[in-house]
Amino acid sequence: MTTPTFRSDITVELVKHNAADTDVLFAARVSTGTKTLVGETGDLAKRDLGLINYLMRDKHGSPFEHNSMTFRIEAPIFVIREWMRHRSGWSYNEESGRYTELKPVFYIPSLDRKLVQEGKPGRYTFVKGTAAQHEIVSRVMEYAYQEAYEAYQVLLDAGIAREVARSTLPVGLFSSMYATCNARSLMHFLGLRTADERATFPSFPQREIEMAAEQMERFWAQLMPATHTAFNTHGRVAP
């Protein structure tokens, strides 16, 4: 039997991109033929920055769609299932348990992951767990994962098809996917999947998907700094 491995991190890699602040400007000015004023250093002119802010503030969203970013994500299945609720402006391809034997890599919350929910639905908060609670989470999860993967292997060894045998596996199993989006769809994702004090409409994301969102935002901020700044200035609401 293969021995399971356990991890607490979620990884996001920027695979390729065609995304820059100038994409927003060219798209916005196509109807008038007005020039985008990019200096020799690549910096945007004040008028260009003003246009990006105007578009963001007044919710003229389509100019933010003329770009593309593709990410490779490794995350537990429960994160990927939540992620795929974002449909507009997103494309996905995920690792298939029908065509490949799934590796025994499973999610265990790290020690800084808050474990205890307090309050009623819609008005609850999470607080840090005790050392004993963290210990039981790790111990019970590791046991459950190992039993589930052993069951999966027993079925495979008996000649059962992978697409049937995978039913024994839990949502804490790591999967991988390619996810492609544009800046507008990413902003909508970030508005819902990050908790940020600058947000006009506070969000309360599950921590695991927020871990991925934070990594994506760092990549995007490097590619489109003016757009990212305008997003934060105007309450982290997608136009």
Side-chain angles (χ1 to χ4, degrees), residues 46 113 133 142:
K46 184 177 181 180
R113 206 302 187 190
Q133 287 172 322
E142 288 182 12

Side-chain angles (χ1 to χ4, degrees), residues 19 58 68:
D58 286 16
S68 177

Side-chain angles (χ1 to χ4, degrees), residues 76-208:
I77 288 174
F78 69 84
V79 172
I80 290 177
R81 293 299 165 267
E82 185 175 25
W83 201 316
M84 288 182 176
R85 296 179 67 184
H86 295 266
R87 297 180 294 276
S88 298
W90 286 88
S91 298
Y92 303 103
N93 275 89
E94 185 186 357
E95 177 183 356
S96 174
R98 296 184 68 192
Y99 305 123
T100 186
E101 183 175 332
L102 298 171
K103 298 179 179 64
V105 182
F106 297 96
Y107 177 73
I108 299 288
S110 64
L111 291 177
D112 60 359
R113 206 302 187 190
K114 296 177 180 178
L115 295 180
V116 180
Q117 179 179 320
E118 294 183 345
K120 299 179 180 180
R123 296 183 61 86
Y124 58 80
T125 59
F126 284 89
V127 297
K128 188 176 182 179
T130 65
Q133 287 172 322
H134 277 283
E135 189 277 331
I136 196 171
V137 165
S138 296
R139 176 165 48 83
V140 170
M141 281 187 170
E142 288 182 12
Y143 173 79
Y145 290 151
Q146 185 155 351
E147 291 293 307
Y149 198 77
E150 286 182 2
Y152 174 67
Q153 288 286 301
V154 167
L155 293 179
L156 293 180
D157 292 344
I160 305 302
R162 288 184 290 265
E163 65 183 50
V164 176
R166 65 178 174 173
S167 298
T168 64
L169 297 172
V171 295
L173 180 77
F174 266 77
S175 186
S176 61
M177 70 171 177
Y178 267 42
T180 299
C181 63
N182 59 56
R184 189 182 192 186
S185 54
L186 180 58
M187 284 186 276
H188 182 260
F189 178 83
L190 295 175
L192 291 174
R193 303 304 181 184
T194 59
D196 193 292
E197 61 184 11
R198 295 166 293 185
T200 302
F201 303 100
S203 183
F204 305 93
Q206 183 165 338
R207 179 55 190 154
E208 286 76 13

